[in-house]
Amino acid sequence: MSSYPQQNKEISQHVPTIISPISSSWQRCKQLYKLDPSHIPSVERLSKPEIKEDKERFDEMLVDSIPLLNNLRHTALDSGYCILVTNAQGVVIDRYIDSDVSRELSTECLQHGSVWSESLVGTNGVGTCLETQKSLTVFAEEHFGHPLKHLTCSAAPLIAPDGSIFGVLDVSSFARGNKEVQGFALNLVCETANKIEALLFRKQYDQHYLVALSSSAISNDLDTTCYVAINSSGIILAATTPSLTMMGVRKREEVIGQSFEHLFGISLDSVSSARGASIPASSTHHQAPLWVARVVSPAVERLFSAKRAPSRLKPTDANSPIMNIAGPDQTLIQQAAICLRTVNRSINILLQGETGTGKEVWAQAIHESSDRKNKPFVTLNCASIPESLIESELFGYSSGTFTGGLKGGKMGKILASDGGTIFLDEIGDMPLALQARLLRVIAENEITPLGQIEPIKVNLHVICATHRNLKELVKNGEFREDLYYRISGVNIKLPALRNRMDQSDIIDRILKKLCDDEGIESPYTVSKRALARLESYRWPGNIRQLKNVLQFAICMCDGKEIDLGDLPEEVMSSAPSSNENTTAPNNHVLSVDPALSADESLEKEHIMKILEENRWIVTRAAKAMNVSRSTLHRKLKKYDLLLAEDE
């Protein structure tokens, strides 16, 4: 262990009971965690593989925040601070050691993978910040454990766009002087954390109406960290933490779901007409001066511009099935227009998008908008059929080809779609050997069923879909490059539900269809606060998940208006991140295993479904869930699921 610098005798001997957050932390350490300040265990440290997943997620989230962190590093270099970035469990994911003092600190315990949970090491900057969910400084004697009393730690929570805490930003050094001089360090981490939150917020809600708030006229909306996101109906979807202070409220729930006009006393139209200039407003919760300015972006322009189809469309095209499912979303209208101009040509179409974005519905609409609409629309999911059966399903076989096969043989999917459309879902999971055969069929417009010699001519139109990155698969040798270019004559990318600007329209359409399917005459509506919650949720399962949530809400609803209490826990708890797709069940059901909670039962059911769709191959299932194999293996062990050998 390195020798500590001699601490200044002026270090104040703080009495924990005087400072409320510290006092509360000491009480938790004694009464809840049963810690002994003289026998605090050494700081635990995770291995590099254990923190790899969080490291990758943090790097992706904070890539745009690098300049902000570099500014903090520059200041910390002059002051001798070590900078730590931790996850929500207090595990150090990143650290910056640019000075000699910080390097000496790093040789002790402020290392990658070190765990600073309050329950393990007692009162400390990171752990107590996570417990209180507030920024604070823990100075010298305020640390519960004796091994930490030579340190000063100032920490601020890192807050995601949905208001959840995903980590902590901390600066630590050797304690000198008194706590008051650490005010600069605390202000520094708070300012940086607020800027990071604002950056993530703007990125998350860049396709919604954004308003910047300030206590004076705003000259540049990038100078503020106070933002509010609003939907096309004028309802507040989300707000940054500094904006809550600006509005005079403590919790997001006080403003989310509220009307912007009611809350600020001005209309969105008046903010829009100001063309980015700030205008005075008022707050129902706060009497201090308040100015608002619209954050102008191309996405916002599209959202609040007239909802019209692109020019050069025929009048009949506006009412085509493909235009109907595109709705008012300008991006999808453009994609639909492309499909309409190519659908009756010999051009194959590739649909790409996350699981649940409606690729099959989109393919069906393309077919119904074409001259082939009175011919068959045939589907095949390449990921749900065992590899040994895909070939016979796709190409068919003649009589006597297989022992136990159908007596007269079987017509394959391709031949069954003759004159119509064949939809190959999850084309990225098609075995390489079959990719070569499919390529020949598409190139030559003829097929040879198994066991047959003479080829059969087919009038073929192919629509493929995948949630995987085919270009990456081509690069890795898992997908044929020549087939990729054959099937992607038109490449349509369907946006994730969380990025769509017409969520309220989608909700209305789904509710209407659910009511029609159930024979319910009067359709259900959604309250403003429930709609705001639905629109701020991350939707890892996209439209498919939304449909299941609305089905559940209809069952729970006593009247005809769905409110917050009717929504399932998965939506009400917290919005999952883009990488947390493992907890996105397709159906909301009650737990049937008494050893598991309702959420755990849902997660187990979802994992089993994905495994079945990927033939119980861990690698493929992990890719489908957008998680690492190690994460999936931990889940499998947790739920005692037996697997076939990985391929």
Side-chain angles (χ1 to χ4, degrees), residues 16 82 113 139 145 188 241 405 443 531:
C82 177
F139 183 79
L188 195 62
T241 306
L531 179 62

Side-chain angles (χ1 to χ4, degrees), residues 509-520 546-552 554:
R509 290 203 300 269
I510 292 177
L511 280 175
K512 185 177 184 306
K513 188 175 188 310
L514 289 174
C515 290
D516 289 344
D517 292 344
E518 295 291 331
I520 302 173
L546 172 61
K547 180 181 177 182
N548 295 327
V549 165
L550 293 176
Q551 282 179 314
F552 176 88
I554 288 175

